Amino acid sequence: MGVNSYLILKEEIEDFKITKDMFPKDFMNFRDISWVAQVSPFIKEFSKPGDLIFEPFAGMGTTIIGAAIQGRRAVGIELEKERFVNLTKRIDYYKERYKYIPELINGDSLTFEYPNNIDLVVTNFPYYNGNIEDSEDGNFYNIKSYNMYLEFIEKVIKRCAESLKKDGYMVAFSENIRNLNGNMISQAYDTCNLLKKYMNLKEERIILYEKEEFKEDDITLTNRSHEYVFICKKKEDERDYSEYKNALVKVGEKVKYLVIGSYGLFNICKSVLDNPPYDCDILVDNNINSIKNIVNILKDQGYDLYSWQDNIDQKFDYNKLKGRYYIRAIKKAKEEEYIIDITYECERLDFSKCYENKVDKDNITVASIEDISTLMKGRGTEKDKSLLCRILKLK
Ligand SMILES: C[S@@+](CC[C@H](N)C(=O)[O-])C[C@H]1O[C@@H](n2cnc3c(N)ncnc32)[C@H](O)[C@@H]1O
């Protein structure tokens, strides 16, 4: 595909065309089937021979063939029994060209176990239609509500993201579609947002099909002359939180503290977070001796401490802390920067009361979800608001 962000396709490679003689019957009349010419460049670019390629919506096996003829191992899941028979036949047809025989599963992608350590997921999401009545129960083509469709797609995306190897990619083809009222449904953009939630979005490409005009009686109403390709990568490993943990254990030996903010949530209800936390926020009593103790302990742990622009050194005048709310501790370790923000003045919460509700987790002391939420409500940023919604759903 080179450096272009688009790929123009005229037709399927002759060898891989699906013919009526070979496959007389299909519930979608093969309208939803991609081309080997379409998926192959992505398989080549984002995987190498021997890699494991997974397709949760195998269809007629276009991804599987594209992977197998390029020396990749491939696993695909397809729900429709009748289509699965055709799929098996089609995959078998090219078997002389494969180094590894693909594994095909007749099952539901929402529930069937995915392989571990996938190098690359390549998929073409079933479109939202809500009116393909010939399909089997559980087929995404049958989902009547768009919200439910997205909910199910999200589950598949999440499972794919979890099953990817470190540095693994997911290449997803998706398009916006027209509904029966003639409006557009932003399926491509919505599925892209879901991909972004679980992986890092790396690239967007567009596939342009030079083909005959859209026919109004096409029941898929997809106007398929262009399609988006979203290329995502597994999220990088979380940072090494042992740095924070060790420091907090030391602090806890002498001073009462509560972990708040996203590192607090990370410890007690990780699933609500979109991204792993970067820094560590703690709340302490507004007591000069406690604060001095924390400063000394963190200095011993290799942190530099600051009150706004002032370095907290031997000469620092602790009277300056009044009205400054927090102290920042910074340490460079393992080629990363670690930041602990220590809040000692907090208008919204009383430290002693919060401490009564504390949660002890793996040797560190975390504020309760309610108290962390109260603090977030106070800040009221957009990010906090969406986090709060997720916390509420959790309850
Ligand atoms: C867009 S097609 C994929 C086409 C495939 N990439 C190809 O070109 O051969 C989507 C496929 O997903 C299948 N499907 C829909 N819901 C499914 C589910 N819950 N589990 C597994 N497959 C499902 C459909 O039957 C259809 O074959």
Side-chain angles (χ1 to χ4, degrees):
M1 199 155 174
V3 291
N4 285 345
S5 59
Y6 63 88
L7 174 68
I8 301 177
L9 289 174
K10 277 206 171 76
E11 57 179 349
E12 173 61 300
I13 301 162
E14 199 55 40
D15 265 6
F16 300 116
K17 281 185 178 162
I18 294 177
T19 61
K20 278 265 172 210
D21 338 329
M22 236 187 127
F23 304 106
K25 206 165 158 249
D26 179 75
F27 79 112
M28 288 282 281
N29 212 9
F30 307 115
R31 270 189 307 267
D32 58 337
I33 299 309
S34 332
W35 296 340
V36 176
Q38 166 190 345
V39 296
S40 287
F42 295 96
I43 293 170
K44 185 168 181 212
E45 189 174 345
F46 295 101
S47 70
K48 52 185 190 319
D51 276 1
L52 177 61
I53 317 297
F54 175 62
E55 161 66 285
F57 301 109
M60 283 295 286
T62 310
T63 299
I64 308 293
I65 295 169
I69 57 167
Q70 297 189 78
R72 275 69 165 164
R73 293 171 295 132
V75 178
I77 303 182
E78 170 56 44
L79 182 92
E80 291 290 325
K81 283 193 191 62
E82 188 190 78
R83 187 169 259 189
F84 188 78
V85 173
N86 284 341
L87 163 70
T88 313
K89 190 172 159 195
R90 189 174 182 223
I91 296 299
D92 200 49
Y93 189 76
Y94 304 102
K95 67 172 183 241
E96 305 302 325
R97 304 202 202 172
Y98 309 151
K99 181 161 181 198
Y100 306 98
I101 299 298
E103 186 187 338
L104 303 173
I105 297 149
N106 184 206
D108 186 342
S109 264
L110 274 182
T111 50
F112 209 93
E113 200 171 323
Y114 291 6
N116 281 324
N117 288 324
I118 297 168
D119 293 285
L120 172 67
V121 176
V122 178
T123 194
N124 199 316
F125 295 128
Y127 330 118
Y128 168 67
N129 280 293
N131 60 356
I132 310 288
E133 272 146 21
D134 287 347
S135 52
E136 285 180 34
D137 282 354
N139 196 312
F140 282 33
Y141 286 139
N142 243 333
I143 304 172
K144 300 282 182 276
S145 126
Y146 184 56
N147 283 343
M148 190 176 285
Y149 166 83
L150 289 178
E151 210 176 286
F152 285 4
I153 289 283
E154 177 169 357
K155 286 190 178 146
V156 172
I157 290 174
K158 183 167 185 275
R159 297 186 72 202
C160 287
E162 286 166 357
S163 308
L164 275 180
K165 243 185 188 167
K166 181 179 180 323
D167 293 332
Y169 279 91
M170 176 158 176
V171 172
F173 296 81
S174 194
E175 60 194 272
N176 295 318
I177 53 172
R178 198 175 297 162
N179 75 4
L180 290 169
N181 305 325
N183 296 325
M184 290 299 292
I185 297 181
S186 52
Q187 182 192 290
Y189 308 141
D190 297 336
T191 49
C192 178
N193 275 329
L194 296 174
L195 288 160
K196 259 169 54 188
K197 195 165 160 188
Y198 298 97
M199 284 166 274
N200 292 326
L201 181 63
K202 291 291 188 187
E203 297 264 359
E204 170 217 51
R205 307 258 171 96
I206 295 176
I207 299 198
L208 305 169
Y209 300 93
E210 280 189 351
K211 56 186 273 195
E212 61 192 75
E213 271 180 27
F214 170 60
K215 294 192 187 75
E216 286 301 331
D217 63 351
D218 177 352
I219 60 160
T220 61
L221 295 167
T222 59
N223 189 11
R224 284 191 60 167
S225 48
H226 75 276
E227 187 164 19
Y228 292 89
V229 190
F230 301 115
I231 297 154
C232 306
K233 195 171 178 193
K234 185 164 175 108
K235 279 194 174 155
E236 266 95 60
D237 280 349
E238 288 166 354
R239 66 210 244 110
D240 180 1
Y241 292 106
S242 60
E243 191 56 54
Y244 289 142
K245 218 174 150 182
N246 295 340
L248 292 174
V249 169
K250 285 279 172 210
V251 169
E253 286 170 6
K254 285 201 173 160
V255 183
K256 285 181 179 170
Y257 72 90
L258 290 165
V259 183
I260 52 174
S262 52
Y263 188 57
L265 294 173
F266 180 76
N267 279 285
I268 53 177
C269 55
K270 195 173 174 179
S271 64
V272 298
L273 294 174
D274 255 351
N275 291 302
Y278 186 76
D279 52 10
C280 163
D281 297 317
I282 62 172
L283 183 66
V284 297
D285 200 10
N286 188 5
N287 167 308
I288 201 74
N289 288 330
S290 305
I291 296 172
K292 281 185 177 168
N293 266 331
I294 294 178
V295 167
N296 290 332
I297 294 164
L298 290 179
K299 274 191 178 164
D300 286 348
Q301 297 291 306
Y303 284 84
D304 292 321
L305 285 108
Y306 301 89
S307 164
W308 294 11
Q309 259 74 40
D310 296 325
N311 186 355
I312 306 185
D313 54 16
Q314 300 283 1
K315 289 177 263 159
F316 181 73
D317 174 7
Y318 277 83
N319 290 319
K320 280 186 171 177
L321 290 185
K322 198 165 179 329
R324 288 188 175 185
Y325 302 104
Y326 77 103
I327 287 172
R328 173 160 287 186
I330 304 179
K331 176 176 178 177
K332 290 227 161 57
K334 300 168 201 153
E335 293 173 24
E336 292 222 50
E337 188 174 65
Y338 290 87
I339 299 175
I340 304 180
D341 280 339
I342 305 134
T343 300
Y344 52 87
E345 288 174 332
C346 175
E347 283 152 10
R348 296 186 74 87
L349 289 176
D350 175 73
F351 179 79
S352 311
K353 282 204 185 119
C354 290
Y355 200 78
E356 284 169 20
N357 305 327
K358 71 183 165 74
V359 181
D360 290 311
K361 185 79 201 296
D362 300 334
N363 298 324
I364 62 173
T365 320
V366 186
S368 67
I369 296 189
E370 287 72 20
D371 289 335
I372 295 178
S373 307
T374 305
L375 286 170
M376 283 180 166
K377 269 181 215 148
R379 287 196 311 206
T381 64
E382 283 311 310
K383 205 173 142 210
D384 287 339
K385 279 185 206 158
S386 67
L387 245 177
L388 281 167
C389 288
R390 288 200 291 276
I391 293 174
L392 276 176
K393 273 192 195 159
L394 201 76
K395 290 178 184 167

